[in-house]
Amino acid sequence: QVQLVESGGGLVQPGGSLRLCCLASGSFFSINAMGWYRQAPGKQRELVASITAGGSTNYADSVKGRFTISRDHAKKTVYLQMNSLKPEDTAVYYCSTLVRGISVGLWGQGTQVTVSS
């Protein structure tokens, strides 16, 4: 079973950058896709970016060109580099293991990203 710990969030001004990290314990990280989700107050949790075990990536339209997802199999870590941040990016960000593109339903505590001027 995989346990996930997200980190790297914080307060940043519009146009700034943050890098989120998700450390995954367990023995299945290298064979599963991973995704970053976010949930803003009053909104549904949404998939922001995903990456397969082979490194193929997908992004929500709202973050294309600004966010980059990557993974390090040896470190069992998935990253989300967020550039050109906007206030609408403000949310709690979570990572999750994906099976056929959907979360298995296990989450860490999340990391808060606040973009404010």
Side-chain angles (χ1 to χ4, degrees):
Q1 180 170 300
V2 175
Q3 290 186 305
L4 306 170
V5 179
E6 302 95 339
S7 63
L11 175 64
V12 65
Q13 293 184 345
S17 298
L18 287 171
R19 188 181 73 162
L20 306 185
C21 300
C22 174
L23 178 62
S25 64
S27 60
F28 302 109
F29 176 84
S30 64
I31 62 173
N32 282 292
M34 297 290 295
W36 280 100
Y37 291 75
R38 67 185 181 189
Q39 187 166 24
K43 296 184 178 180
Q44 189 78 23
R45 188 171 297 184
E46 63 176 349
L47 181 63
V48 173
S50 64
I51 184 167
T52 69
S56 297
T57 59
N58 281 291
Y59 300 92
D61 288 341
S62 59
V63 307
K64 285 181 179 178
R66 300 188 298 118
F67 291 10
T68 303
I69 188 171
S70 61
R71 67 192 298 164
D72 185 324
H73 290 280
K75 295 181 179 180
K76 296 184 178 181
T77 301
V78 61
Y79 305 94
L80 186 67
Q81 179 66 47
M82 306 188 296
N83 299 325
S84 302
L85 283 162
K86 304 175 180 179
E88 49 264 46
D89 296 318
T90 296
V92 179
Y93 284 71
Y94 303 87
C95 65
S96 184
T97 302
L98 306 179
V99 177
R100 295 192 179 276
I102 60 173
S103 173
V104 299
L106 296 176
W107 312 91
Q109 290 299 115
T111 185
Q112 175 72 49
V113 172
T114 302
V115 184
S116 177
S117 59

